[in-house]
Structure formats: structure tokens, C-alpha cells
């Protein structure tokens, strides 16, 4: 049998292409395949992801707004005695203390709410990737239930990773405080300490920052796949972090390059979106007349600003909170294919023989 000029067909010198039931071929992935798979997964499930993002962060905004409203009702009467005093008169501590307590409580609640919201998003993205890789559809309800069921484990990985990342910063702060105290003590005991010696503090702090930054990056990449392991394998927080460390081993530099590229790109895109919406909000504000005493103009201005801020924050949050976890989840699948031959299991799960 003879063939026309050109490469022979599959089965005659070339292996068949890897199966592709979903957004990626079931084979080791390059950077292009990971990025294209991420966009394909978002394109297939953008409605569920957009609805999930709006529900999660919309609820978080409502919770924080309700806390601010409750705090204002509780301590709003203290604003005039603190901020509207005659010139030269200091506010009383009994009036300032409740405001500080209310602010701290609202801040703590806001931080807890946002951490839980980020953990929910970190759980939703691997769940989407798991279905997208197998070529299976998903619904908002199924995504919501799956994310809530795995949120405690993902939240544990987020908190433990944050604690690990705090170690380099504690080292940096301790080093800076130690240098400052050393020079301060030396200046009290010796007349040879001049102003030039104090200039060494920022230089040494910069050098110390350069030394601890690699440690922070190493920890970040080492545990970057823990949320994906918590969702796709159903493991606990500590087991998921061990799993991430095992998969990253031997592929740290490659994983670091991919994650850093995606982080920079998403941050830039988010900034561009916010700048564009800020420019768009300037046109309606310019049309409002603030010269009169009409309170409607002020209310309309604040309504326009608030609407654009909410829309801009939601869109930018969608970019920042969705694309990096999607890429990390695909990187997790890629490393399991490379190191554990996961492709046959994925093919069987997709119904391929």
C-alpha cells in the first residue's frame, strides 16, 4: 500500500493523539495548553462562575454593609463630640473608645467575611476544572453545594498557608527592630555613632527583604495546589498541603513561572478594568449640577459612584479570584498526569475506552 506525499496517517509511524473529552488533552500540558484550557473552562462555565462570584462577594458586601449600619446606629451619636469639636478642644476618651471598639469589630468581621468568600472561590474553581476536564456540564446549584462542602478544608489550607507566609515577614520585622534597637543602644553608649550610621537601617532592611523574599515565594508555590487537592481528592487541609508539596517537588521553577505570569497578568487586567470604569463614571458625574442646594444631585452623584464601584469591584474580583485558581487547578491536573499517569483514569471517568 502506498501513501501520498506527506506524513503517514496515525497508525503508520505516528501514535494517535491523546484523547480530549474536555478542555485539555489528557497528556502532559505546556503553558499554552494550560492557558487555553483555562479560557476554555471559563468560556464553558462563565455563567456559573459569574453567578457564583456575584453571590459570594455580593453576600460579603451585604454582611459588611449591615455590620457598618449596626455600628453606626450603635455609636453614631458619638461622631459630633469627637469630630465636630471647637478648635483647640480635644475629644474625651469615653467618647473615642466606643468608636475604636466599633471600628475594630467591623474590621474583624470584614476580614473574616472576605477570607471565607475567597475560600469559597478557591473551592469553586477546582470543582469547575474537574468537570471541564472530563467534558461534563455543571450547574450553579451543584457548584454551590460542592464548594460549600469543601470550603472548610480549603479555608484550612488558606489559613495555614497564610501563617506559613507570615514567617518571612516576621523575620523581616524582627530583623529591622533588632537593627534599630542595636543602633539606638549604641548611640546612647558611644559618641562615634553619627547620622550616617542610621542610614544603614533602610539599606540593611532592603538587604534583609531580599533574603526573605525567596523564602516567601518558595512557600507560596509549594502550597499553591493545596485548594485543588482539597477539592479534587477530598482531603483535609494538612493532607492537601502535603499533597501540593509532593506534586510541586521537581517542578517548582516551572510552576513558579506559570503562577507568577498569571498573577501579574490578572493584576494588570484588573487594574485596567477599574481605571476604565473610573473614567466611565466621570461622564455622569460631570453632568450633575452641584452648584445648587438640591440634595438630589448629591444623592445621584453618590449613587453613580457607588454603582460603578460595585460593578468595577465585581468584575475585577472575577478576574483576580477566578483565573489564578483555574490555572492552579489545571497545573495540579498536569502534574498528576506527569507524575502519576492520571490520564487513563481521567479517560475512564470521562467514559472513554
Amino acid at each position: 500500500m502506498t501513501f501520498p506525499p506527506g506524513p503517514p496517517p496515525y497508525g503508520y509511524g505516528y501514535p494517535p493523539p491523546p484523547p480530549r473529552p474536555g478542555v485539555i488533552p489528557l497528556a502532559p500540558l505546556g503553558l499554552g495548553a494550560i492557558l487555553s484550557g483555562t479560557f476554555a473552562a471559563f468560556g464553558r462555565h462563565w455563567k456559573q462562575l459569574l453567578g457564583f462570584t456575584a453571590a459570594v462577594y455580593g453576600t460579603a458586601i451585604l454582611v459588611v454593609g449591615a455590620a457598618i449600619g449596626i455600628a453606626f446606629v450603635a455609636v453614631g451619636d458619638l461622631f459630633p463630640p469627637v469630630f465636630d469639636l471647637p478648635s483647640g478642644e480635644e475629644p474625651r476618651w469615653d467618647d473615642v473608645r466606643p468608636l475604636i471598639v466599633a471600628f475594630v469589630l467591623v474590621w474583624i468581621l470584614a476580614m473574616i467575611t472576605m477570607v471565607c468568600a475567597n475560600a469559597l472561590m478557591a473551592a469553586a474553581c477546582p470543582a469547575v476544572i474537574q468537570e471541564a476536564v472530563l467534558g461534563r456540564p455543571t450547574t450553579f446549584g451543584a457548584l454551590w453545594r460542592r464548594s460549600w462542602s469543601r470550603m472548610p478544608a480549603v479555608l484550612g489550607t488558606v489559613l495555614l498557608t497564610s501563617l506559613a507566609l507570615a514567617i518571612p515577614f516576621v523575620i523581616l520585622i524582627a530583623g529591622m527592630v533588632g537593627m534599630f534597637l542595636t543602633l539606638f543602644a549604641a548611640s546612647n553608649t558611644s559618641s562615634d555613632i553619627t547620622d550616617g550610621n542610621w542610614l544603614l537601617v533602610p539599606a540593611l532592611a532592603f538587604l534583609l527583604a531580599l533574603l526573605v523574599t525567596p523564602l516567601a515565594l518558595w512557600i507560596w508555590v509549594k502550597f499553591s495546589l493545596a485548594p485543588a487537592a482539597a477539592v479534587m481528592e477530598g482531603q483535609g487541609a494538612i493532607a492537601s498541603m502535603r499533597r501540593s508539596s509532593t506534586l510541586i517537588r521537581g517542578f517548582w521553577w516551572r510552576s513558579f513561572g506559570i503562577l507568577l505570569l498569571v498573577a501579574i497578568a490578572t493584576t494588570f487586567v484588573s487594574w485596567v478594568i477599574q481605571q476604565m470604569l473610573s473614567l466611565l463614571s466621570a461622564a455622569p458625574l460631570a453632568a450633575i449640577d452641584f452648584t445648587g442646594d438640591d440634595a438630589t444631585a448629591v444623592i445621584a452623584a453618590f449613587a453613580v459612584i457607588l454603582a460603578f464601584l460595585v460593578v468595577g469591584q465585581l468584575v475585577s474580583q472575577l478576574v483576580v479570584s477566578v483565573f489564578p485558581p483555574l490555572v492552579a487547578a489545571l497545573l495540579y491536573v498536569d502534574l498528576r498526569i506527569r507524575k502519576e499517569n492520571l490520564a487513563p483514569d481521567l479517560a475512564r471517568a470521562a467514559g472513554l475506552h
Side-chain angles (χ1 to χ4, degrees):
M1 180 180 295
T2 60
F3 297 102
Y10 292 113
Y12 293 89
Y14 288 92
R20 184 169 181 163
V23 295
I24 58 169
L26 301 184
L29 305 175
L31 174 61
I34 290 177
L35 295 180
S36 64
T38 300
F39 284 107
F42 182 80
R44 293 188 182 187
H45 304 284
W46 68 270
K47 294 180 181 179
Q48 292 83 359
L49 288 171
L50 180 60
F52 194 90
T53 304
V56 169
Y57 289 109
T59 303
I61 292 174
L62 290 177
V63 170
V64 175
I68 294 174
I70 294 172
F72 181 79
V73 171
V75 298
D77 295 338
L78 298 176
F79 278 93
V82 173
F83 297 104
D84 293 338
L85 293 175
S87 179
E89 185 176 346
E90 296 293 332
R92 298 186 308 161
W93 172 245
D94 291 339
D95 295 331
V96 175
R97 182 175 54 195
L99 294 179
I100 296 177
V101 172
F103 173 80
V104 171
L105 291 178
V106 171
W107 181 83
I108 292 175
L109 178 62
M111 290 298 102
I112 294 175
T113 303
M114 292 308 298
V115 168
C116 292
N118 292 333
L120 271 174
M121 292 302 304
C125 292
V128 167
I129 286 296
Q130 190 170 19
E131 302 302 324
V133 168
L134 299 178
R136 299 188 303 212
T138 187
T139 62
F140 176 84
L143 183 61
W144 186 266
R145 290 189 296 270
R146 181 81 183 281
S147 302
W148 266 108
S149 65
R150 299 310 306 159
M151 194 270 279
V154 173
L155 180 61
T157 65
V158 172
L159 294 178
L160 291 176
T161 303
S162 300
L163 289 176
L165 286 172
I167 294 176
F169 295 100
V170 170
I171 295 175
L172 176 62
I173 294 174
M176 293 176 62
V177 172
M179 289 185 294
F180 180 81
L181 292 178
T182 300
L183 283 177
F184 183 77
S187 65
N188 291 333
T189 58
S190 175
S191 60
D192 295 333
I193 301 297
T194 63
D195 293 338
N197 297 112
W198 288 100
L199 296 178
L200 293 175
V201 174
L204 293 175
F206 178 74
L207 179 61
L208 185 60
L210 290 180
L211 294 177
V212 300
T213 298
L215 175 60
L217 293 175
W218 178 77
I219 293 173
W220 170 54
V221 177
K222 181 181 180 67
F223 300 124
S224 59
L225 308 184
V231 174
M232 295 187 182
E233 299 184 27
Q235 300 197 41
I238 297 178
S240 298
M241 296 179 72
R242 290 199 193 102
R243 193 80 170 96
S244 175
S245 177
T246 301
L247 291 173
I248 290 292
R249 189 177 299 121
F251 292 88
W252 190 93
W253 282 107
R254 178 176 179 271
S255 304
F256 169 70
I258 293 174
L259 295 174
L260 181 63
L261 174 64
V262 173
I264 294 175
T266 52
T267 302
F268 176 75
V269 171
S270 174
W271 177 80
V272 170
I273 292 173
Q274 291 184 351
Q275 294 303 312
M276 291 177 60
L277 289 173
S278 298
L279 292 176
L280 290 176
S281 64
L285 290 178
I288 299 175
D289 184 15
F290 292 96
T291 58
D293 296 331
D294 188 8
T296 306
V298 178
I299 296 175
F302 278 108
V304 170
I305 295 174
L306 182 60
F308 275 95
L309 285 177
V310 170
V311 173
Q313 188 63 32
L314 180 61
V315 175
S316 62
Q317 199 67 39
L318 176 65
V319 174
V320 173
S321 301
V322 168
F323 280 95
L326 289 177
V327 171
L330 276 181
L331 183 60
Y332 163 86
V333 175
D334 168 59
L335 291 180
R336 287 200 63 186
I337 290 175
R338 291 175 182 270
K339 305 182 75 170
E340 300 175 356
N341 194 27
L342 182 65
D345 295 334
L346 292 176
R348 284 190 292 269
L352 304 178
H353 301 284

